Amino acid sequence: MIDENINGGVSTVDGYVPSMSVTKDGKTAYFSKATYQKPLYGVFSKKELIHEIYRTEYINGKWTNITKMEVCPQHYSAKHPTVSDDGKRLFFASNMKGSYGKYDIYVADINKDGSLGVSKNLGPKVNTKEDELYPSIYNGTLLFFASEGREGYGGLDLYATQVVQNTLTPSVNLGNHINSDSDDYAIQLSPEKKLGLVVSNRGYNNTVSQYTVAYGRAEKQDDYKDIAQRDIDLQTAMNVGSEYKYTDTSFEDK
């Protein structure tokens, strides 16, 4: 059943800031936090805003043991973490060296001790020369994310790719029934109700809010053809098989 809200906040820098991503057992969560730090070069240079990912554990009714995750080299940013249903992989956005553009979507294996393996770029089927942000996992294998590097409907558009083990499918735009001419950040689906919640700044004065979107159903018989056509990309993304491997791109903190 769909939640009544997609948790998160609003930032003057990022627009929308997602809440922490919690494992299925509710015991571990991941979140990102931004701080201003001195740049790598230039002693008197202006401090830069750097995003970092943290892990926390739920013990005795409190979130504790907050640990910074080493997912990218110093002076680069990593944000918007989302953990897979099985708790074995962490997806996130980063602008680390080796990215295709600004921010790319990466994945790292989560080891049994809680540490992370090498961060791997999801490659050109997902990433572009512009920003790819806000990854989120639905139903174990469907990865939603926002991109502004493709010919979409305006600003950030929502896309999806199927991820199974180390393979993924080409990204699919979720269509103009879900995307708008503004920035669309995140989506949460309820297959039972054929409804989704979309976080977007399509409101008055670009206000960030959530919008309820119907998909795959019609109010009357004459609407079925139109609904089937405009939701075909979403339905394709939800059902397509995997055929593309991750790239070998990964960072080396030297």
Side-chain angles (χ1 to χ4, degrees):
M1 186 170 68
I2 193 168
D3 292 333
E4 293 183 357
N5 294 283
I6 301 180
N7 294 325
V10 179
S11 165
T12 55
V13 177
D14 288 335
Y16 168 65
V17 180
S19 63
M20 60 185 184
S21 177
V22 184
T23 55
K24 206 167 186 178
D25 61 11
K27 295 180 179 179
T28 308
Y30 298 86
F31 64 94
S32 57
K33 183 174 69 173
T35 58
Y36 282 96
Q37 302 178 16
K38 290 183 179 180
L40 180 60
Y41 302 105
V43 178
F44 301 106
S45 297
K46 186 177 179 181
K47 288 185 177 181
E48 300 172 322
L49 188 66
I50 301 296
H51 298 263
E52 296 172 315
I53 292 176
Y54 294 82
R55 176 180 184 268
T56 181
E57 296 175 301
Y58 195 68
I59 301 174
N60 296 327
K62 294 182 180 180
W63 289 107
T64 186
N65 294 341
I66 298 175
T67 305
K68 186 173 77 172
M69 308 306 294
E70 303 296 335
V71 297
C72 67
Q74 276 190 309
H75 307 290
Y76 290 95
S77 284
K79 58 184 179 180
H80 307 162
T82 185
V83 62
S84 61
D85 284 359
D86 59 10
K88 294 182 178 180
R89 289 182 296 178
L90 190 72
F91 294 84
F92 59 93
S94 177
N95 64 352
M96 73 177 81
K97 187 177 180 180
S99 296
Y100 285 82
K102 299 176 181 178
Y103 277 88
D104 280 4
I105 305 297
Y106 285 80
V107 63
D109 291 333
I110 301 174
N111 300 319
K112 290 183 179 180
D113 64 0
S115 63
L116 296 180
V118 175
S119 299
K120 297 181 180 179
N121 190 298
L122 292 193
K125 295 296 182 184
V126 168
N127 295 310
T128 67
K129 292 181 179 180
E130 300 297 331
D131 280 331
E132 276 69 47
L133 303 163
Y134 304 105
S136 64
I137 292 288
Y138 169 77
N139 203 25
T141 61
L142 188 60
L143 179 70
F144 291 120
F145 64 94
S147 173
E148 64 176 1
R150 295 175 171 81
E151 186 176 348
Y153 299 97
L156 288 166
D157 271 11
L158 289 166
Y159 288 79
T161 177
Q162 283 278 357
V163 181
V164 180
Q165 295 180 357
N166 70 330
T167 62
L168 52 86
T169 60
S171 300
V172 175
N173 187 296
L174 298 190
N176 63 0
H177 182 43
I178 290 174
N179 288 307
S180 67
D181 58 2
S182 299
D183 289 323
D184 302 292
Y185 304 105
I187 184 171
Q188 179 178 296
L189 298 181
S190 173
E192 301 84 5
K193 295 183 177 181
K194 299 296 182 184
L195 293 175
L197 290 179
V198 176
V199 177
S200 173
N201 68 352
R202 66 186 70 173
Y204 178 70
N205 284 341
N206 295 323
T207 301
V208 177
S209 187
Q210 64 179 28
Y211 299 84
T212 302
V213 177
Y215 68 92
R217 71 176 183 183
E219 296 300 324
K220 55 186 179 179
Q221 187 67 32
D222 293 342
D223 291 338
Y224 279 118
K225 184 176 180 181
D226 177 57
I227 295 240
Q229 183 61 41
R230 70 187 181 186
D231 288 335
I232 190 169
D233 287 343
L234 175 57
Q235 299 298 337
T236 299
M238 293 174 70
N239 295 296
V240 73
S242 299
E243 58 185 45
Y244 186 80
K245 292 186 176 181
Y246 297 157
T247 65
D248 291 331
T249 306
S250 60
F251 79 86
E252 291 183 4
D253 194 359
K254 294 182 179 179

